[in-house]
Amino acid sequence: MSSNIKKSILKLKESSTLVINEKSKDLINQGKKVYQFGFGQSPFPVPETIVESLKNHAHRKEYLPIQGLVKLREVISKYLLKKTGNNYPKENILITPGSKEAMLLMHIAFKGEIIIPAPGWVSYEPQAQIGSNKVHWLETKRSNNWFPTALELEKKIKKVGKKKNIIFILNSPNNPSGSVCNNLKEIAKVAKKYKLIVLSDEIYTDLTFKDEYNSISKFYSEFTFITGGLSKWCGAGGWRLGFLAVPPKLKSFLTSLKSLASESYSTVNTPTQYAAVEAYEGNYDEYKNKVKGILNAVGNYVYNNLKSNKVLIKPPQGAFYLMPEFKNTKFKNSSKLCEAILNETGVAMLPGSDFGFKPKRMLTRLSYTDFDGSKFYNNVKDYNSIDEDMIKEFAPSVVEGITRLSNWAKNL
Ligand code: PMP
Ligand code: GLU
């Protein structure tokens, strides 16, 4: 009996990232060997001083302001100034239970249409649907590093309608491609011309391997929202702490978002907000460099050992994903491809169709985080020279899974 559920909600499924995580764990519990390349979660420990701060604030049980702890908003504002050169004052920052919630609130408040480059993260489209905003996918090409060219974006805007309210979502480094956008300036120019609202999802920016990170807000600050949080760089996905920075010209959004926050989650849990002050105030460059060094080395290992005339793939630039494309397959769609790979090799991945690609394209997302991050982290002295022996020693499941996957692909 589902007649008492809204049609738009019935259409939704459980998010594929979380489903693959649970499915992999179920298979493991049944005694099967699964190479967990499906879910995207940092394997590294949260820095000890941040964990200490969380412990020290465990007794803080009072509710904090809806918008979040003032001190936390202050340090995030400083962090953004340093990173982007833009002033997002503390009054314009909203602390949320993960940046995912911040984006959802944006969709609920916003009236208009959404342009999402494919590949784009699995939750963008369902969130827009929850907010009753129409989605327009903009398929990108490998030749432009899996980001739209300025021309492609402009064409899409014209198709949607120049006069419409539009949010354009940009995510660099990108989940699922692992690529960094190298044409931000041109994209910003188009965004400015058509007064787009840009939702710059910067959850992976501190995991940009070669420090070539740039925020689109540098070129177009007027209407750019930024989201971020502790989930990726700090390894604290389960803590659920994110933020949204609102550009001063769009401050009116904040009022509505605060109302939505106050009527749903009230405010983010208090101890985590205090611990997040430490995360944004302290200097964690050494930690970040080590984490990036390891991810870069493991990502490159995967890239070098998987690429072939049967598997097209680009080298990693950030985050912890790669997006292999399989040639000469007999499968009906990328879901069937992933199913066969899981059954025949034990490697769990997600299909490209979950990220906005046409189901017929044999693209997949591979998350190369199936290793003991604490062990790897504690054994690395020089993060610039992580060799293959270390990868074999500290990321054996990645090595084994990639061997199985590349052998499987040879028979295509
Ligand atoms: N954006 C992207 C691209 C992601 O991969 C994730 C991962 N969960 C999020 C946003 C949301 O992160 P969180 O809610 O944990 O801040
Ligand atoms: N962002 C992670 C992923 O893409 C998982 C967490 C989530 O989807 O909320 O796998």
Side-chain angles (χ1 to χ4, degrees), residues 56 71 85 94 96 113 135 148 155 223 239 250 254 270 273 297 300 347 371 392 397 404 412:
N56 292 339
K71 179 71 185 166
L94 177 69
T96 52
E113 321 232 338
V135 167
K155 262 195 191 157
F223 295 153
W239 286 18
L250 294 172
L254 199 61
T270 305
Q273 293 203 49
N300 270 297
V347 170
F371 58 88
K392 286 185 176 145
S397 277
R404 292 177 75 99
L412 287 173

Side-chain angles (χ1 to χ4, degrees), residues 242-260:
F243 68 81
L244 172 79
V246 177
K249 284 193 175 155
L250 294 172
K251 183 106 189 258
S252 54
F253 261 93
L254 199 61
T255 317
S256 298
L257 298 180
K258 274 171 70 180
S259 304
L260 287 169

Side-chain angles (χ1 to χ4, degrees), residues 15 17-18 38-40 100 121-123 175 204 232 321 365:
S15 196
T17 50
L18 299 156
F39 191 53
K100 193 176 196 173
W121 182 44
V122 295
S123 290
N175 174 4
Y204 293 104
K232 309 301 172 181
Y321 309 104
R365 185 190 80 172

Side-chain angles (χ1 to χ4, degrees), residues 107 112-116 124-129 133-137:
H107 285 294
E113 321 232 338
I114 317 289
I115 298 180
I116 311 174
Y124 296 146
E125 183 174 36
Q127 287 195 336
Q129 285 165 347
N133 296 319
K134 193 166 172 197
V135 167
H136 304 267
W137 284 102

Side-chain angles (χ1 to χ4, degrees), residues 293-304:
I294 296 172
L295 288 175
N296 192 9
V298 176
N300 270 297
Y301 176 88
V302 172
Y303 163 73
N304 286 319

Side-chain angles (χ1 to χ4, degrees), residues 268-279:
V268 173
N269 81 80
T270 305
T272 307
Q273 293 203 49
Y274 278 102
V277 171
E278 170 57 32

